């Protein structure tokens, strides 16, 4: 397994590698000063309804409105100089797109986001507003992964951020690996 891989192959299955305490503290250090400290709130009504103490981590107050900013910034901040220069290519119709676009802008990394033509206009506008180069595709007739590979051709250091495969590497429920 190459350094930075967030999955291992076990009997023809990709299994996530859980982050260690050191991974979490390193991610916290990379995120310091870049993310908002979001509140944890409770609700007596919810507690009464569920018979439990329920806590809500209000990541809607995070930069770009979602927890995915934490993972996107953490992952892109780990890029080496060559990868930063080459940029990142990913696909998403929403929050992952915005997280990568904003994180890339803050870190000076070119970001191309492949979005389906029927993604909400507000999500496309926000992704562009955060500095992402949006490439639109038809999800019914085109293959977003093939588009991503074609966009990354000729730039071997470009990193392909696949939102379905990103896990421990990002510090959220996603993975990122170098474009192969």
């Amino acid at each position: 397994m190459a350094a930075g891989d967030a999955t291992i192959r076990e009997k023809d299955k990709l299994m996530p590698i859980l982050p260690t305490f050191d991974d979490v503290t390193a991610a916290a250090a990379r995120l310091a000063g870049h993310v908002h400290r979001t509140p944890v709130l409770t609700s007596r009504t919810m507690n009464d309804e569920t018979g439990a103490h329920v806590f809500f981590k209000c990541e809607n107050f995070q930069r770009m409105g979602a927890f995915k900013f934490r993972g996107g910034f953490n992952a892109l901040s780990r890029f080496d100089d060559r990868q930063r220069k080459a940029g990142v290519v990913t696909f998403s119709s929403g929050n992952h797109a915005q997280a990568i676009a904003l994180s890339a802008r803050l870190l000076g990394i070119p970001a191309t986001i492949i979005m389906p033509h029927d993604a909400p206009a507000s999500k496309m506008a926000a992704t562009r507003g955060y500095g992402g180069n949006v490439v639109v595709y038809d999800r019914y007739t085109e293959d977003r992964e093939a588009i991503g590979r074609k966009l990354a051709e000729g730039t071997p250091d470009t990193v392909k951020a696949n939102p379905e495969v990103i896990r421990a590497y990002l510090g959220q429920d996603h993975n990122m690996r170098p474009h192969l």
Side-chain angles (χ1 to χ4, degrees):
M1 179 173 77
D5 280 352
T7 56
I8 57 173
R9 187 167 296 280
E10 182 180 297
K11 297 185 182 184
D12 296 324
K13 292 182 190 176
L14 286 178
M15 306 295 291
I17 297 172
L18 297 176
T20 65
F21 181 77
D22 289 342
D23 293 334
V24 174
T25 57
R30 285 187 292 275
L31 295 171
H34 300 286
V35 297
H36 299 313
R37 289 185 62 105
T38 56
V40 176
L41 302 178
T42 61
S43 164
R44 281 178 288 187
T45 302
M46 184 61 76
N47 291 350
D48 291 344
E49 290 290 322
T50 62
H53 294 285
V54 179
F55 298 88
F56 298 94
K57 180 67 170 149
C58 299
E59 286 296 290
N60 52 311
F61 296 126
Q62 190 50 262
R63 293 181 87 158
M64 54 72 52
F67 72 94
K68 294 189 178 197
F69 177 73
R70 293 177 187 275
F73 191 89
N74 182 41
L76 297 185
S77 68
R78 295 178 68 179
F79 280 19
D80 62 31
D81 289 340
R82 289 183 325 183
Q83 290 171 320
R84 286 177 185 242
K85 184 177 178 185
V88 62
V89 173
T90 192
F91 42 82
S92 171
S93 58
N95 292 340
H96 176 71
Q98 293 170 53
I100 295 299
L102 177 57
S103 299
R105 185 185 82 201
L106 294 172
L107 293 165
I109 298 170
T112 299
I113 317 295
I114 304 162
M115 298 184 79
H117 73 286
D118 57 354
S122 61
K123 297 287 187 182
M124 282 195 197
T127 302
R128 287 183 177 111
Y130 290 131
N133 172 36
V134 174
V135 173
V136 179
Y137 77 101
D138 183 333
R139 73 170 77 225
Y140 303 107
T141 62
E142 296 178 283
D143 178 355
R144 66 187 185 178
E145 292 185 43
I147 294 168
R149 282 190 299 274
K150 183 170 180 159
L151 289 170
E153 273 179 13
T155 314
D157 294 318
T158 297
V159 173
K160 182 179 165 212
N162 180 337
E164 274 110 16
V165 195
I166 300 178
R167 270 220 203 290
Y169 191 86
L170 280 181
Q172 70 182 46
D173 194 23
H174 289 325
N175 254 337
M176 183 175 286
R177 28 177 105 146
H179 173 71
L180 302 174

